[in-house]
Amino acid sequence: MAAVATIIVLAAMVGTASAADEDGGKLRQGFYDQSCPRAEQIVRHYMEQHVPHAPSVAATLLRTHFHDCFVRGCDGSVLLNGTNGNEAEKDSPPNASLRGFAFVDRVKAVVEQECPGVVSCADVLALAARDAIGVIGGPFWRVPTGRRDGRVSLKQEALDQIPGPTMNFTDLLASFQSKGLELPDLVWLSGAHTIGIAHCDSFSERLYNFTGRGGPSDADPSLNPVYAANLRRTKCATPTDNTTIVEMDPGSFLTFDLGYYRGLLKSRGLFQSDHALLMDAAARADVESVASGPPEVFFQLFARSMVRLGMLEVKTGGEGEIRRHCAVVNS
Ligand code: HEM
Ligand SMILES: *[C@@H]1O[C@H](CO)[C@@H](O)[C@H](O)[C@H]1NC(C)=O
Ligand SMILES: *[C@@H]1O[C@H](CO)[C@@H](O)[C@H](O)[C@H]1NC(C)=O
Ligand SMILES: *[C@@H]1O[C@H](CO)[C@@H](O)[C@H](O)[C@H]1NC(C)=O
Ligand SMILES: *[C@@H]1O[C@H](CO)[C@@H](O)[C@H](O)[C@H]1NC(C)=O
Ligand SMILES: CC(=O)N[C@H]1CO[C@H](CO)[C@@H](O)[C@@H]1O
């Protein structure tokens, strides 16, 4: 109890708190308790069975959930395949590296076996992301359920609305605020980059010819020069490499820890959008305050922002549908 109280006090010190944190908005804890009582247990069990063999999928699922929520709300639209006449969110460059679609489809299939047509893909994704992070020892957050699935997925909307790695602080904050999130959500949710990987072409513009001066070491001056040189030498050996992957929190990319924030403070954030968190006084103060630990404080703040992310523009009640297969709308 004492530890928990300490965490809450520390969390309060670093900001964020709103009434919306305490309820699920239009969603409800245990929405499927009557209609599919084992739904949440099935998802959790599936994650416990499969994530240990493929722990990198946890990062992918978390990112996919984020991309889902940032375009048309958390409605599973990111999971839809394109059709003949339409390129979907999946077909946009920001999604090019989302790898968890087949995984989500399999979880959904198991849930469908138990209760056909009851549990939405948006909820399956939200639960799967939460439980996968739990399996790798990360934070736990409440996932109120009752999301309905959308029937529309447009490539252009993902292009326009998913924040990009070259964004500065002003644009990142504007992006989050356009979704009803706030500065603390930007700071804590960016902490997701403590796990997972990036492809060289997501950040190599920082390594080569950054100022246009040219020359072998024309890197982004805000990137740690030792780290930049190391990335050029051992990872992203050409400016056009789009296949090599790099751990975003080198050495602990499968562990949800404080490595991301500690790296930021050494100018080792991989993207300009990561480093941007140091460019605003309030954001920087938040980063500094969690970086020294304990990790439970970050976990608590991250969890609170995840609940907020998971509620964005959800469809409920009679809106949308319960997709039978996550990649296609019901006919
Ligand atoms: C703040 C704005 C953000 C930007 C600009 C951004 C950008 C990116 C980029 C460019 C990648 C690498 C993609 C690749 O090269 O393969 C990435 C990876 C990732 N992002 Fe973000 N991101 C942001 C926020 C978030 C949020 C809010 C979350 C989740 C809460 C998140 C979770 C992740 C994860 C887990 C990965 C690793 C994916 C994997 O290993 O498959 N990001 N992000
Ligand atoms: C969706 O697209 C993927 C990748 O192109 C494909 O493997 C999968 O079979 C498609 N799913 C459906 C239900 O059409
Ligand atoms: C942030 O980036 C945008 C678009 O690239 C630019 O218009 C704006 O001036 C930048 N803001 C700051 C404070 O650098
Ligand atoms: C570096 O950038 C400058 C300005 O954009 C360009 O003129 C030059 O050709 C670039 N050099 C290389 C090696 O790409
Ligand atoms: C990587 O770059 C090559 C050459 O420019 C291109 O043909 C290929 O489609 C790119 N791959 C990805 C995944 O973007
Ligand atoms: C997984 C997936 O559908 N990735 C697509 C993302 O978008 C690019 C185009 O920008 C496609 O080539 C990928 O297939």
Side-chain angles (χ1 to χ4, degrees):
M1 253 344 261
V4 172
T6 307
I7 290 162
I8 290 167
V9 171
L10 285 167
M13 280 165 52
V14 273
T16 77
S18 93
D21 296 338
E22 303 312 323
D23 67 60
K26 295 194 284 175
L27 303 175
R28 214 167 70 226
Q29 199 69 37
F31 180 82
Y32 299 110
D33 281 356
Q34 306 300 318
S35 56
C36 189
R38 288 184 352 108
E40 297 198 19
Q41 192 187 327
I42 289 170
V43 176
R44 190 174 63 245
H45 183 71
Y46 193 94
M47 294 300 139
E48 287 165 356
Q49 293 295 300
H50 293 90
V51 174
H53 306 297
S56 69
V57 83
T60 291
L61 292 172
L62 182 60
R63 182 168 186 239
T64 304
H65 179 41
F66 161 53
H67 284 205
D68 185 27
C69 294
F70 254 54
V71 184
R72 293 186 171 262
C74 317
D75 71 342
S77 56
V78 71
L79 303 171
L80 285 171
N81 278 359
T83 54
N84 279 339
N86 178 53
E87 287 192 293
E89 290 170 35
K90 261 185 198 182
D91 300 314
S92 80
N95 288 329
S97 51
L98 297 176
R99 295 167 290 134
F101 298 118
F103 196 92
V104 174
D105 289 346
R106 288 195 292 274
V107 189
K108 167 71 169 172
V110 182
V111 175
E112 281 296 286
Q113 246 168 20
E114 170 95 359
C115 324
V118 173
V119 183
S120 68
C121 293
D123 278 343
V124 167
L125 176 56
L127 292 165
R130 189 269 308 274
D131 292 342
I133 295 301
V135 171
I136 65 164
F140 174 88
W141 61 93
R142 287 175 301 106
V143 177
T145 41
R147 295 168 189 78
R148 308 264 302 172
D149 294 324
R151 294 176 51 86
V152 176
S153 180
L154 302 173
K155 173 182 180 172
Q156 190 61 43
E157 291 183 340
L159 277 172
D160 294 343
Q161 296 174 36
I162 302 294
T166 61
M167 276 189 176
N168 59 31
F169 181 81
T170 314
D171 286 354
L172 287 168
L173 184 58
S175 163
F176 272 59
Q177 286 179 335
S178 76
K179 299 295 168 186
L181 298 177
E182 283 303 333
L183 183 145
D185 302 308
L186 170 62
V187 176
W188 308 132
L189 293 177
S190 293
H193 290 177
T194 193
I195 55 169
I197 54 93
H199 292 76
C200 287
D201 61 337
S202 290
F203 58 87
S204 53
E205 96 283 355
R206 299 185 81 189
L207 304 179
Y208 296 97
N209 205 15
F210 184 78
T211 65
R213 210 171 7 85
S217 59
D218 184 16
D220 180 347
S222 70
L223 182 62
N224 181 304
V226 175
Y227 188 40
N230 193 42
L231 285 168
R232 277 194 307 261
R233 198 176 63 250
T234 66
K235 299 284 182 187
C236 312
T238 69
T240 53
D241 181 342
N242 60 5
T243 51
T244 307
I245 58 171
V246 172
E247 299 176 7
M248 291 196 290
D249 176 13
S252 69
F253 80 112
L254 295 173
T255 312
F256 218 100
D257 58 14
L258 295 168
Y260 171 75
Y261 295 110
R262 290 176 176 165
L264 282 190
L265 294 171
K266 296 177 192 152
S267 297
R268 285 166 177 263
L270 199 51
F271 307 139
Q272 285 160 276
S273 58
D274 295 318
H275 187 76
L277 299 183
L278 304 182
M279 299 289 102
D280 173 81
R284 186 185 184 108
D286 279 350
V287 169
E288 287 171 344
S289 72
V290 286
S292 53
E296 287 76 11
V297 175
F298 166 45
F299 279 24
Q300 163 125 1
L301 293 163
F302 182 81
R304 210 188 294 189
S305 287
M306 279 308 301
V307 176
R308 289 158 57 78
L309 177 67
M311 297 187 333
L312 293 183
E313 298 167 58
V314 289
K315 299 178 172 63
T316 55
E319 300 168 289
E321 63 183 15
I322 303 296
R323 238 178 266 151
R324 275 185 290 278
H325 191 299
C326 294
V328 287
V329 299
N330 296 341
S331 48

PDB file of all heavy atoms in Angstrom, residues 15-26:
ATOM      1  N   GLY A  15       2.274  15.857 -12.722  1.00  0.00           N
ATOM      2  CA  GLY A  15       1.170  16.412 -13.502  1.00  0.00           C
ATOM      3  C   GLY A  15       0.164  15.397 -14.010  1.00  0.00           C
ATOM      4  O   GLY A  15       0.236  14.229 -13.647  1.00  0.00           O
ATOM      5  N   THR A  16      -0.754  15.812 -14.798  1.00  0.00           N
ATOM      6  CA  THR A  16      -1.889  15.077 -15.349  1.00  0.00           C
ATOM      7  C   THR A  16      -2.892  14.646 -14.300  1.00  0.00           C
ATOM      8  O   THR A  16      -2.541  14.086 -13.299  1.00  0.00           O
ATOM      9  CB  THR A  16      -1.540  13.785 -16.141  1.00  0.00           C
ATOM     10  OG1 THR A  16      -1.224  12.742 -15.266  1.00  0.00           O
ATOM     11  CG2 THR A  16      -0.531  14.019 -17.204  1.00  0.00           C
ATOM     12  N   ALA A  17      -4.086  14.898 -14.532  1.00  0.00           N
ATOM     13  CA  ALA A  17      -5.204  14.397 -13.724  1.00  0.00           C
ATOM     14  C   ALA A  17      -6.447  15.037 -14.287  1.00  0.00           C
ATOM     15  O   ALA A  17      -6.501  16.234 -14.493  1.00  0.00           O
ATOM     16  CB  ALA A  17      -5.068  14.775 -12.266  1.00  0.00           C
ATOM     17  N   SER A  18      -7.407  14.220 -14.597  1.00  0.00           N
ATOM     18  CA  SER A  18      -8.676  14.792 -15.013  1.00  0.00           C
ATOM     19  C   SER A  18      -9.758  13.780 -14.721  1.00  0.00           C
ATOM     20  O   SER A  18      -9.494  12.595 -14.584  1.00  0.00           O
ATOM     21  CB  SER A  18      -8.658  15.146 -16.500  1.00  0.00           C
ATOM     22  OG  SER A  18      -9.157  14.075 -17.259  1.00  0.00           O
ATOM     23  N   ALA A  19     -10.952  14.277 -14.616  1.00  0.00           N
ATOM     24  CA  ALA A  19     -12.066  13.404 -14.249  1.00  0.00           C
ATOM     25  C   ALA A  19     -12.212  12.269 -15.258  1.00  0.00           C
ATOM     26  O   ALA A  19     -12.545  11.153 -14.898  1.00  0.00           O
ATOM     27  CB  ALA A  19     -13.351  14.215 -14.178  1.00  0.00           C
ATOM     28  N   ALA A  20     -11.909  12.587 -16.514  1.00  0.00           N
ATOM     29  CA  ALA A  20     -12.080  11.574 -17.563  1.00  0.00           C
ATOM     30  C   ALA A  20     -11.182  10.363 -17.336  1.00  0.00           C
ATOM     31  O   ALA A  20     -11.440   9.289 -17.859  1.00  0.00           O
ATOM     32  CB  ALA A  20     -11.793  12.175 -18.929  1.00  0.00           C
ATOM     33  N   ASP A  21     -10.095  10.564 -16.561  1.00  0.00           N
ATOM     34  CA  ASP A  21      -9.201   9.437 -16.313  1.00  0.00           C
ATOM     35  C   ASP A  21      -9.893   8.331 -15.544  1.00  0.00           C
ATOM     36  O   ASP A  21      -9.494   7.177 -15.593  1.00  0.00           O
ATOM     37  CB  ASP A  21      -7.989   9.890 -15.487  1.00  0.00           C
ATOM     38  CG  ASP A  21      -7.156  10.895 -16.266  1.00  0.00           C
ATOM     39  OD1 ASP A  21      -7.268  10.890 -17.496  1.00  0.00           O
ATOM     40  OD2 ASP A  21      -6.422  11.652 -15.629  1.00  0.00           O
ATOM     41  N   GLU A  22     -10.894   8.702 -14.784  1.00  0.00           N
ATOM     42  CA  GLU A  22     -11.443   7.740 -13.828  1.00  0.00           C
ATOM     43  C   GLU A  22     -12.595   6.934 -14.406  1.00  0.00           C
ATOM     44  O   GLU A  22     -13.034   5.964 -13.817  1.00  0.00           O
ATOM     45  CB  GLU A  22     -11.909   8.464 -12.555  1.00  0.00           C
ATOM     46  CG  GLU A  22     -10.800   9.274 -11.874  1.00  0.00           C
ATOM     47  CD  GLU A  22      -9.505   8.476 -11.716  1.00  0.00           C
ATOM     48  OE1 GLU A  22      -9.583   7.254 -11.457  1.00  0.00           O
ATOM     49  OE2 GLU A  22      -8.420   9.059 -11.879  1.00  0.00           O
ATOM     50  N   ASP A  23     -13.133   7.335 -15.525  1.00  0.00           N
ATOM     51  CA  ASP A  23     -14.187   6.519 -16.119  1.00  0.00           C
ATOM     52  C   ASP A  23     -13.833   6.209 -17.566  1.00  0.00           C
ATOM     53  O   ASP A  23     -12.835   6.692 -18.094  1.00  0.00           O
ATOM     54  CB  ASP A  23     -15.556   7.209 -16.019  1.00  0.00           C
ATOM     55  CG  ASP A  23     -15.609   8.465 -16.869  1.00  0.00           C
ATOM     56  OD1 ASP A  23     -15.418   8.350 -18.092  1.00  0.00           O
ATOM     57  OD2 ASP A  23     -15.854   9.552 -16.330  1.00  0.00           O
ATOM     58  N   GLY A  24     -14.619   5.392 -18.190  1.00  0.00           N
ATOM     59  CA  GLY A  24     -14.304   4.987 -19.553  1.00  0.00           C
ATOM     60  C   GLY A  24     -15.087   5.770 -20.582  1.00  0.00           C
ATOM     61  O   GLY A  24     -15.202   5.340 -21.727  1.00  0.00           O
ATOM     62  N   GLY A  25     -15.672   6.894 -20.184  1.00  0.00           N
ATOM     63  CA  GLY A  25     -16.477   7.644 -21.136  1.00  0.00           C
ATOM     64  C   GLY A  25     -17.654   6.788 -21.580  1.00  0.00           C
ATOM     65  O   GLY A  25     -18.419   6.287 -20.766  1.00  0.00           O
ATOM     66  N   LYS A  26     -17.778   6.603 -22.889  1.00  0.00           N
ATOM     67  CA  LYS A  26     -18.890   5.795 -23.410  1.00  0.00           C
ATOM     68  C   LYS A  26     -18.604   4.297 -23.303  1.00  0.00           C
ATOM     69  O   LYS A  26     -19.446   3.478 -23.633  1.00  0.00           O
ATOM     70  CB  LYS A  26     -19.147   6.169 -24.874  1.00  0.00           C
ATOM     71  CG  LYS A  26     -19.629   7.601 -25.048  1.00  0.00           C
ATOM     72  CD  LYS A  26     -20.190   7.834 -26.452  1.00  0.00           C
ATOM     73  CE  LYS A  26     -19.088   7.968 -27.495  1.00  0.00           C
ATOM     74  NZ  LYS A  26     -19.618   8.064 -28.872  1.00  0.00           N
TER      75      LYS A  26
END
